[in-house]
């Protein structure tokens, strides 16, 4: 018997304009159920959630709404406790990262289906089964379930703050190094490697470079946001095909997670990943200057100062990164010495002096 590989994918992905109102139709067509919990954030995402609730209540669904302010384990447990006896069949996450992460965790633990309605394109968790929940023993993501439906309304997502859009670009740029790390782990450690998933993840990174002119403009055009959303979804699908975060998360993500530990979530995930990618490209002996140029052009952070951290935090994170999870990358099993970390950060201009 050979290696058995299971692939979980969304059943339906809807991308376009004014599509929030069609949600009931898709839920009915896929027979997902009647009892729905909607998880949203406060502010604008609450307004979008209300729209979704109105449509669903109007069509006869039983709908409960819960708001979350962060994606911590405490918040996740609160939501779980509140709805554990409600025979929940569907959990819908409406929001940026946090609401969707809590929705994933809730759906997984209540054995319900998941619907993802992103309102910001800031990371590739939109269409992946992986959730980032703060306060667990590890800062990395955990496997939950793949969304059955993803509804990406470009009109809604285009209104997200520029910073969140650019962060999404940073998360995707990271695939240049995550795929290199994956190949390395395959060659050196015999780890499973899937060419198709790797190519798909890489393609999503290349799209950011291809459309960097668009992303550099002050008001990012909806066509660019659409291309970004499609690339973020592709990256999520790549993880679904691989059955792990491998195609989308390598040493650049280890650095980002380590920086979150060292400096307590100082910047957006995608911003940290972008800076990590510059440094890990250098370690791989690849064209790190090009990555830096693209990030600068689109207005993403490329230095410690721009991430809002001290030079020392960068060095610490670099020396800690390999310990974040047992995942073989260019950082090796022993990681970087302090001296190597400092050199790396200096040469790539992430730290000054
Ligand atoms: Zn990421």
């Amino acid at each position: 018997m050979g290696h058995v590989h299971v692939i979980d994918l969304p059943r339906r992905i809807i991308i376009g304009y004014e599509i929030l109102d069609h949600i009931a139709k898709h839920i009915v067509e896929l027979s997902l159920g009647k009892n729905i919990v909607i998880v949203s954030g406060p502010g604008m995402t609450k307004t979008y959630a209300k729209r979704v609730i109105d449509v669903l209540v109007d069509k006869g669904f039983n709908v409960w709404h819960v708001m979350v302010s962060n994606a911590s384990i405490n918040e996740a447990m609160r939501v779980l406790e509140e709805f554990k006896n409600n025979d929940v069949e569907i959990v819908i996450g409406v929001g940026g990262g946090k609401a969707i992460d809590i929705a994933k965790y809730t759906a997984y633990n209540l054995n319900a289906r998941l619907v993802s309605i992103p309102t910001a394109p800031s990371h590739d968790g939109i269409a992946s089964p992986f959730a980032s929940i703060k306060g667990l023993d590890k800062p990395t993501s955990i496997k939950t379930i793949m969304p059955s439906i993803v509804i990406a309304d470009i009109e809604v997502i285009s209104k997200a703050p520029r910073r969140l859009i650019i962060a999404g670009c940073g998360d995707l740029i990271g695939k240049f190094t995550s795929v290199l790390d994956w190949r390395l782990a395959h060659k050196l450690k015999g780890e499973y490697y899937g060419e198709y998933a790797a190519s798909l993840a890489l393609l999503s990174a290349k799209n950011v470079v291809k459309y960097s002119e668009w992303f550099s403009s002050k008001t990012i055009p909806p066509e660019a946001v659409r291309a970004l959303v499609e690339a973020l979804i592709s990256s999520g699908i790549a993880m679904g095909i691989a059955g792990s975060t491998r195609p989308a998360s390598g040493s650049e993500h280890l650095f980002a997670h380590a920086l979150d530990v060292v400096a307590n979530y100082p910047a957006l995930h995608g911003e940290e990943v972008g800076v990590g990618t510059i440094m890990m490209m250098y370690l791989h002996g690849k064209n790190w200057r090009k990555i830096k140029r693209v990030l600068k052009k689109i207005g993403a952070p490329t230095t410690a100062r721009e991430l809002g951290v001290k030079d020392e935090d960068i060095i610490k994170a670099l020396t800690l990164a390999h310990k974040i999870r047992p995942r073989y990358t260019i950082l090796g099993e022993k990681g970087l010495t302090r001296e190597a970390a400092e050199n790396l950060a200096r040469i790539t201009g992430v730290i000054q002096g």
Side-chain angles (χ1 to χ4, degrees), residues 123-124 171 175 248 253 269 273:
H123 60 93
D124 61 7
D171 199 19
K175 310 327 169 203
H253 269 71
H269 169 72
V273 168

Side-chain angles (χ1 to χ4, degrees), residues 16-335:
Y17 291 82
E18 289 172 21
I19 51 176
L20 282 188
D21 297 345
H22 303 168
I23 183 168
K25 171 174 119 56
H26 298 296
I27 289 175
V28 170
E29 282 176 9
L30 297 180
S31 313
L32 297 189
K34 273 274 169 202
N35 298 337
I36 303 177
V37 169
I38 299 195
V39 183
S40 82
M44 259 327 263
T45 76
K46 194 175 118 194
T47 313
Y48 295 129
K50 286 261 189 301
R51 233 170 100 186
V52 174
I53 292 165
D54 286 346
V55 172
L56 292 172
V57 168
D58 194 49
K59 300 283 181 194
F61 289 91
N62 305 316
V63 186
W64 299 282
H65 179 208
V66 63
M67 266 191 298
V68 295
S69 55
N70 59 62
S72 68
I73 185 64
N74 290 340
E75 198 81 325
M77 295 311 288
R78 175 176 72 84
V79 174
L80 215 51
E81 190 60 32
E82 189 171 343
F83 297 105
K84 67 178 182 192
N85 298 319
N86 289 33
D87 191 22
V88 176
E89 292 164 293
I90 308 168
V91 181
I92 302 180
V94 184
K98 298 173 188 103
I100 291 178
D101 281 331
I102 297 282
K104 282 177 179 174
Y105 190 84
T106 308
Y108 177 70
N109 284 288
L110 294 180
N111 208 9
R113 306 298 185 87
L114 174 70
V115 176
S116 165
I117 306 184
T119 58
S122 53
H123 60 93
D124 61 7
I126 294 171
S128 89
F130 299 95
S132 302
I133 304 291
K134 287 182 196 173
L136 293 172
D137 44 341
K138 295 242 158 160
T140 50
S141 53
I142 51 164
K143 193 167 187 182
T144 60
I145 55 163
M146 190 57 128
S148 298
I149 304 177
V150 179
I151 301 180
D153 191 311
I154 301 302
E155 196 192 343
V156 169
I157 298 173
S158 296
K159 287 183 189 137
R162 187 176 200 287
R163 190 180 168 199
L164 295 182
I165 297 174
I166 296 306
C169 293
D171 199 19
L172 288 180
I173 285 274
K175 310 327 169 203
F176 281 114
T177 44
S178 58
V179 168
L180 288 171
D181 284 321
W182 195 14
R183 276 190 204 141
L184 192 68
H186 174 61
K187 285 179 182 163
L188 293 181
K189 300 287 166 187
E191 199 180 299
Y192 163 81
Y193 173 77
E195 186 62 52
Y196 188 86
S199 302
L200 192 59
L202 203 54
L203 183 67
S204 66
K206 285 178 178 166
N207 264 352
V208 174
V209 178
K210 187 171 158 191
Y211 297 119
S212 58
E213 201 60 54
W214 276 353
F215 291 117
S216 66
S217 54
K218 205 167 179 192
T219 319
I220 297 166
E223 304 95 285
V225 173
R226 185 178 192 129
L228 172 62
V229 168
E230 286 175 356
L232 289 168
I233 291 172
S234 294
S235 177
I237 301 290
M239 291 187 251
I241 292 172
S244 79
T245 58
R246 255 301 186 186
S249 172
S251 49
E252 75 298 323
H253 269 71
L254 293 181
F255 165 76
H257 295 314
L259 192 62
D260 285 337
V261 172
V262 168
N264 194 23
Y265 300 88
L268 295 173
H269 169 72
E271 295 173 334
E272 298 168 2
V273 168
V275 173
T277 309
I278 298 171
M279 296 189 285
M280 300 311 151
M281 282 293 269
Y282 174 85
L283 289 184
H284 275 287
K286 298 286 182 182
N287 193 350
W288 61 272
R289 288 191 177 85
K290 184 179 172 188
I291 300 296
K292 188 168 182 172
R293 218 163 35 235
V294 171
L295 289 172
K296 259 188 167 3
K297 182 174 166 184
I298 65 176
T302 60
T303 63
R305 182 191 288 260
E306 285 165 2
L307 282 178
V309 299
K310 296 192 291 279
D311 288 0
E312 182 60 27
D313 295 333
I314 297 283
I315 297 166
K316 263 196 198 143
L318 282 170
T319 57
L320 187 77
H322 69 290
K323 288 189 193 152
I324 292 292
R325 71 191 300 170
R327 167 166 285 185
Y328 193 80
T329 70
I330 193 71
L331 297 168
E333 270 140 5
K334 296 223 171 110

